[in-house]
Amino acid sequence: FVVGVAIGVATGYSAARKAPARLPSEQEAEGQWLAKYRAELRLTEKQVRAIQPLLPKAVDQLGAIWFRAILTMGAVQESVDRKVEPLLDERQRAKLVNYIRRNRAERLRIASARLDAESRKGNNIWFAAAVGDTNAILQHLQAGVGVNEPDLAFGLPPLSLAAIHGRSASVELLLREGADLNARQSDGATALHAAAFFGRLAVVQKLLENGADPNARSDEGETPLGSMEAEWETIEFIGAILHVELDQEEVLAGREAVAELLREDLRNR
């Protein structure tokens, strides 16, 4: 979960450091795309009107791909940094840690801008799952939104977002409506990984009771229990990227209880 999320969101930096300071707005990107078509293809006005409705969704998808690629490549970089750190002397280590923190702040800025843009749209199943709006979740499902459909910002299905934010009622509703307990996020982790990582004891209990797999492995080979090895600084950082309100004492106590629950569940299998 740490090296992926969203997660690619344990996040590092090098590729993102070379990226443009910002992506063009959706309107700018659509305009640039259409302008290229106009210049190269000499479109008629009728053709322009027919093409314009095709662009917004494509632009949104490209922005999401760019965003996740930046975080994922950064996460890989930081995972290497952490392995390098023990090889350094005290002065070098201090410089590396400071460098990681500076670039984490930049990654947080990029992620927050992306999530803020998604949140302003507001009316979607992923936002509803995150805030625990069960009525809105039902409305989106009845309108035909897939119960396991991943969001564009982080590649997280609604169940994972509800688990991350500790929304037990939303988790229960999504499961009742057919959500896949072991649906994979963009990093291969599951809702159980996400709930365990943030110490969401009630959600972890509900997922296990409904048959979630405690042996499921992310793309990095981590089980839900293994994903809990991160230090508070990383938990806090990932929470900030995902706009999750965290209380350190509550989260750490929850993680301790979740770890014991997962160990007990594994022993009883």
Side-chain angles (χ1 to χ4, degrees), residues 17 29 57 84 114 167 178 197 258:
R17 188 174 65 244
K57 184 175 181 180
V84 168
R114 174 74 190 181
R167 309 298 185 186
F197 184 81
V258 166

Side-chain angles (χ1 to χ4, degrees), residues 132-209:
D133 189 339
T134 54
N135 289 330
I137 291 172
L138 272 177
Q139 290 171 5
H140 289 297
L141 291 174
Q142 291 166 357
V145 178
V147 71
N148 297 311
E149 185 73 18
D151 77 313
L152 286 175
F154 296 103
L156 298 170
L159 184 63
S160 288
L161 281 162
I164 286 167
H165 289 267
R167 309 298 185 186
S168 295
S170 294
V171 168
E172 187 172 350
L173 171 62
L174 289 163
L175 292 175
R176 192 165 64 243
E177 293 297 320
D180 182 355
L181 270 169
N182 298 307
R184 301 294 170 154
Q185 301 164 180
S186 59
D187 64 339
T190 67
L192 187 58
H193 285 83
F197 184 81
F198 286 107
R200 306 301 194 186
L201 179 60
V203 173
V204 169
Q205 288 173 324
K206 192 171 296 293
L207 292 172
L208 289 173
E209 288 169 1

Side-chain angles (χ1 to χ4, degrees), residues 37-56:
Y37 277 147
R38 283 179 181 272
E40 297 293 332
L41 304 177
R42 297 183 181 276
L43 300 174
T44 66
E45 286 305 310
K46 182 178 180 180
Q47 289 172 320
V48 169
R49 288 194 297 272
I51 290 171
Q52 280 178 322
L54 305 176
L55 299 182

Side-chain angles (χ1 to χ4, degrees), residues 17-34:
R17 188 174 65 244
K18 300 175 183 177
R22 71 172 184 90
L23 285 176
S25 69
E26 292 180 2
Q27 292 77 13
E28 290 170 338
E30 291 168 27
Q32 292 168 9
W33 200 335
L34 191 57

